[in-house]
Amino acid sequence: MKAKAFDTRLFKRILQYTKPYQWRFNGVIIYAISLSVFAALRPYLLKRTVDDYIQTEDAQGLLFYISLMGIVLLLEVFSQFYFVYWANWLGQDIVKDIRIKLFKHILSFRMKYFDLVPVGQLVTRSVSDIESIARIFSQGLFMIISDLMKMVVVLIFMFYMNWKLTWIVIVAMPILVFITRIFQRKMQVAFEEVRTQIANMNTFVQERVTGMKIVQLFNREEIESQKFKNINEKHQNAWIKTILYNSIFFPIADIISSLTLGFIVLYGGIKILNGDNFTTFGDLFSYTMFIGMLFNPLRQIADKFNEMQLGMIAANRVFEIIDTQDQIQDTGTVEAPIFDGNIQFKEVRFSYIDNEEVIKGIDLTVKAGETIAIVGSTGAGKSTIINLLNRFYEIKSGTICIDNEDIENYTLSSLRKQIAIVLQDVFLFADTIYNNITLNNPEITREKVYAAAKEIGVHNFIMSLPDNYDFDVKERGVMLSSGQRQLIAFLRAYVSNPSILILDEATSSIDTYSEELIQRATETITKGRTSIVIAHRLATIVNADKIVVMDKGLIVEEGTHQELIIKESGYYKNLYDSQFSLAQ
């Protein structure tokens, strides 16, 4: 949905977020009114000072009015301070609420959404776009209200002082309004392009920084640099358009303002010199201030409207995500207990892309406490099985049951609490080892972490690191080797005390020393609980209670290692023999 120059429906939706802060919203309006009155009062007091006290040489009256102008100026400054402070404060509170709502909503999306939407785009929406929404209130809406009020009050004072002279100003205003309207329309299109190019740039940079090892490994520096140069040029060109429109509009607005002021001074001065009572010196003095206070806000309203347009465009993009309903349907009412661990897949079908099935009607039974291994070639559907068990994706048809209860009947959080996964590509946050193990779960104490680490044999490894459990692993755990990251992942799974454990290629890329530790960890954490091991290295799963062989979304063989290895021309035997021959 493309943002309009001013989308009333969208604007009303944004205003809904001001309701918790209604008293501050009202306060900003009150200060805007006070500011406009005090600002317009100063030129009027100047007129009275010139006409009634300077020309009559009344020193006492002059001192009184100068003092009065000083008081009005202080009140204007006071109103200006609270107006700006409260407007910005309100804007920050609103974006805080929207950002929390947005991030919470993103956390509920199913994995398919993240497969399709670039991470850089989500970062742009969550950070820079939301900050632009704050500017609707700090630089847009309230500033426009203040400027409009100031213009109205100024016109009232001008008509009261000299309505004939004021009509000269009124004649010039439609020209400026017409030019301002054209400027606003051009800027809306330009700002839409700016936001698009910012999102594209953020996405590109995020992906290349994350994949920097690949860029350098394949000597892609020059190619990626050229791509970035092209994206940056598009971003620059989008901004240059806005600069061009500003460069045209503001000089024209200044010329109209200056010509109007010059004509009033010339016309009024001639009338005074001719002895006409058409105007006074006080009027001319005050009108030099009034015209600036009338035309400058009108000119600035265009600039403030630009800020609102940026905010509205950003809000439109943010609300598109908030309005996206791409969550796993958490309609279950049963709180998952500590599972026995009986798992059943019944005629389960699934596809990532419509009409391209990845899982083709499989039936699979896992008994409580049993360790099964799932093997097969790349793309056979092994990892998809665990994604479906955790309800990261919705199945197309069939049922998946745990302890004879359809997993869709369990609440999502309670289901996932009973299942722990150790992935091949371990993700660690830029935090301490302890926080990466507990994931800030207050129910997991340090004593529990220490005891678990000793049980699976990783305590000594952690204690050998600087700061031990408080060692900062940096972004994505770059301070640790792949084997060390795997050990942390095993401990993270173990301390959560799951009913069902899943190991997804967890021993595929580790050194010999880490493999020995992981082998011990695996034996410890799988003992007494249902475990599913997805393995590429078949030597690691020969002792599994059952081995399930998959090919092209189907289960083609089941049995123990001894049962499958004797099947001539069997899928498992061929896989095992090919790995054994490669090892030789």
Side-chain angles (χ1 to χ4, degrees):
M1 180 176 64
K2 185 177 179 180
K4 303 174 186 177
F6 190 83
D7 190 329
T8 304
R9 180 196 60 80
L10 180 62
F11 184 65
K12 287 180 178 179
R13 182 172 181 179
I14 296 170
L15 286 181
Q16 292 294 315
Y17 288 89
T18 66
K19 286 185 177 180
Y21 314 102
Q22 194 65 48
W23 65 273
R24 204 182 311 148
F25 182 91
N26 295 336
V28 174
I29 298 298
I30 291 171
Y31 282 121
I33 296 171
S34 302
L35 186 60
S36 62
V37 172
F38 293 136
L41 194 57
R42 282 190 295 111
Y44 175 74
L45 293 177
L46 178 62
K47 167 195 163 54
R48 294 292 304 273
T49 302
V50 172
D51 289 343
D52 298 343
Y53 301 104
I54 293 179
Q55 286 187 303
T56 61
E57 300 181 359
D58 184 347
Q60 186 175 357
L62 176 62
L63 180 61
F64 171 77
Y65 263 81
I66 292 296
S67 301
L68 187 59
M69 289 174 67
I71 293 172
V72 170
L73 180 60
L74 288 174
L75 291 173
E76 183 181 353
V77 169
F78 176 84
S79 299
Q80 179 78 23
F81 170 77
Y82 278 99
F83 170 73
V84 172
Y85 181 74
W86 281 22
N88 280 272
W89 184 12
L90 178 63
Q92 289 302 317
D93 274 334
I94 289 170
V95 299
K96 176 198 68 177
D97 293 344
I98 295 176
R99 185 180 284 116
I100 291 171
K101 183 174 182 178
L102 174 66
F103 189 70
K104 186 176 181 180
H105 192 65
I106 290 174
L107 290 176
S108 69
F109 285 154
R110 54 183 174 171
M111 290 300 108
K112 186 176 181 180
Y113 181 86
F114 301 104
D115 295 339
L116 301 175
V117 179
V119 173
Q121 188 179 106
L122 293 176
V123 172
T124 301
R125 301 293 180 265
S126 303
V127 182
S128 58
D129 278 345
I130 285 188
E131 281 302 323
S132 294
I133 296 176
R135 297 176 71 85
I136 292 177
F137 299 94
S138 62
Q139 300 295 325
L141 173 64
F142 293 125
M143 291 296 182
I144 291 174
I145 291 174
S146 176
D147 287 342
L148 288 175
M149 287 181 176
K150 188 180 292 184
M151 291 170 62
V152 170
V153 174
V154 164
L155 282 172
I156 291 172
F157 272 90
M158 290 174 70
F159 272 109
Y160 173 73
M161 289 163 50
N162 192 322
W163 65 271
K164 294 179 181 179
L165 206 60
T166 303
W167 277 111
I168 298 175
V169 180
I170 296 298
V171 169
M173 287 184 68
I175 301 173
L176 188 56
V177 170
F178 176 73
I179 295 172
T180 300
R181 184 58 180 160
I182 295 175
F183 174 68
Q184 289 170 352
R185 289 175 178 172
K186 294 291 185 181
M187 290 299 285
Q188 192 274 331
V189 176
F191 280 139
E192 180 74 34
E193 178 64 17
V194 165
R195 299 312 304 173
T196 298
Q197 294 305 326
I198 288 175
N200 291 342
M201 181 178 291
N202 285 346
T203 299
F204 183 89
V205 171
Q206 189 274 334
E207 287 183 345
R208 269 58 185 185
V209 171
T210 302
M212 187 58 68
K213 184 180 293 185
I214 299 298
V215 172
Q216 294 182 354
L217 184 64
F218 288 93
N219 297 315
R220 298 275 301 179
E221 292 93 338
E222 287 298 323
I223 296 173
E224 297 303 330
S225 178
Q226 185 60 45
K227 284 184 178 180
F228 180 75
K229 181 180 178 181
N230 295 336
I231 292 173
N232 200 29
E233 284 178 353
K234 290 180 180 179
H235 175 260
Q236 180 190 36
N237 292 336
W239 272 113
I240 286 176
K241 276 188 180 180
T242 69
I243 294 169
L244 175 63
Y245 296 146
N246 278 294
S247 300
I248 294 172
F249 170 75
F250 287 107
I252 292 175
D254 285 337
I255 289 171
I256 294 173
S257 176
S258 299
L259 288 175
T260 304
L261 176 59
F263 186 77
I264 284 181
V265 172
L266 176 65
Y267 184 71
I270 291 172
K271 290 292 186 179
I272 291 174
L273 293 175
N274 290 336
D276 197 323
N277 292 328
F278 180 80
T279 188
T280 66
F281 281 111
D283 285 341
L284 295 184
F285 272 104
S286 61
Y287 267 65
T288 59
M289 296 178 65
F290 274 138
I291 288 175
M293 295 171 66
L294 190 64
F295 279 68
N296 285 342
L298 186 60
R299 187 190 71 174
Q300 290 170 3
I301 281 175
D303 195 32
K304 300 301 184 292
F305 198 85
N306 292 342
E307 296 290 349
M308 281 200 66
Q309 285 178 324
L310 273 174
M312 296 281 278
I313 292 168
N316 187 63
R317 294 172 183 269
V318 170
F319 288 143
E320 278 182 356
I321 297 178
I322 291 177
D323 292 339
T324 299
Q325 298 302 318
D326 203 3
Q327 299 92 345
I328 293 292
Q329 296 301 309
D330 189 9
T331 56
T333 57
V334 179
E335 284 293 319
I338 296 175
F339 292 137
D340 292 331
N342 293 293
I343 303 172
Q344 282 185 304
F345 284 70
K346 302 175 183 178
E347 278 296 315
V348 173
R349 294 181 179 274
F350 171 76
S351 58
Y352 293 105
I353 303 172
D354 291 342
N355 302 320
E356 293 184 22
E357 283 192 339
V358 178
I359 301 297
K360 304 174 181 179
I362 67 168
D363 292 294
L364 175 64
T365 299
V366 183
K367 296 178 181 178
E370 192 174 51
T371 296
I372 75 159
I374 303 178
V375 300
S377 59
T378 301
K382 305 185 298 296
S383 295
T384 301
I385 293 291
I386 64 171
N387 286 333
L388 298 180
L389 186 62
N390 279 277
R391 296 197 66 202
F392 288 145
Y393 297 87
E394 297 280 22
I395 60 177
K396 181 179 178 181
S397 63
T399 57
I400 303 174
C401 297
I402 299 179
D403 292 348
N404 298 316
E405 183 79 56
D406 192 324
I407 59 173
E408 293 186 6
N409 295 334
Y410 294 120
T411 61
L412 206 54
S413 62
S414 66
L415 170 68
R416 291 176 178 171
K417 188 176 181 180
Q418 295 301 320
I419 302 174
I421 304 178
V422 180
L423 299 171
Q424 175 185 4
D425 184 16
V426 177
F427 186 93
L428 298 181
F429 295 96
D431 206 335
T432 65
I433 284 181
Y434 176 76
N435 287 337
N436 270 289
I437 293 168
T438 65
L439 297 178
N440 298 302
N441 184 346
E443 296 178 3
I444 302 175
T445 64
R446 277 188 176 267
E447 291 72 21
K448 185 176 180 180
V449 172
Y450 295 160
K454 291 174 183 177
E455 284 181 38
I456 67 174
V458 300
H459 179 71
N460 291 338
F461 140 65
I462 297 175
M463 293 302 291
S464 69
L465 297 171
D467 299 321
N468 313 133
Y469 284 84
D470 294 317
F471 177 65
D472 191 341
V473 300
K474 306 300 181 183
E475 186 176 2
R476 300 182 68 88
V478 295
M479 301 302 291
L480 302 177
S481 70
S482 59
Q484 290 171 331
R485 290 196 294 270
Q486 285 286 3
L487 291 170
I488 299 302
F490 270 82
L491 183 52
R492 179 163 61 193
Y494 189 47
V495 297
S496 67
N497 194 27
S499 301
I500 298 170
L501 176 69
I502 299 171
L503 306 180
D504 186 2
E505 305 270 11
T507 60
S508 62
S509 57
I510 55 177
D511 53 70
T512 304
Y513 173 70
S514 297
E515 183 174 7
E516 292 174 359
L517 289 176
I518 288 176
Q519 189 62 39
R520 175 182 169 183
T522 302
E523 292 172 0
T524 303
I525 67 177
T526 57
K527 187 177 181 180
R529 58 168 55 91
T530 303
S531 303
I532 300 175
V533 181
I534 296 175
H536 176 71
R537 297 167 62 188
L538 302 186
T540 62
I541 49 94
V542 293
N543 295 322
D545 296 316
K546 180 168 63 175
I547 297 173
V548 176
V549 186
M550 294 192 67
D551 183 58
K552 298 179 181 178
L554 295 169
I555 295 175
V556 293
E557 287 181 347
E558 287 186 60
T560 65
H561 171 73
Q562 296 300 327
E563 291 170 346
L564 297 176
I565 200 67
I566 61 175
K567 287 187 176 181
E568 290 298 328
S569 301
Y571 282 87
Y572 180 79
K573 179 174 173 53
N574 289 336
L575 285 171
Y576 189 84
D577 289 344
S578 64
Q579 282 195 15
F580 183 76
S581 62
L582 288 173
Q584 299 298 317

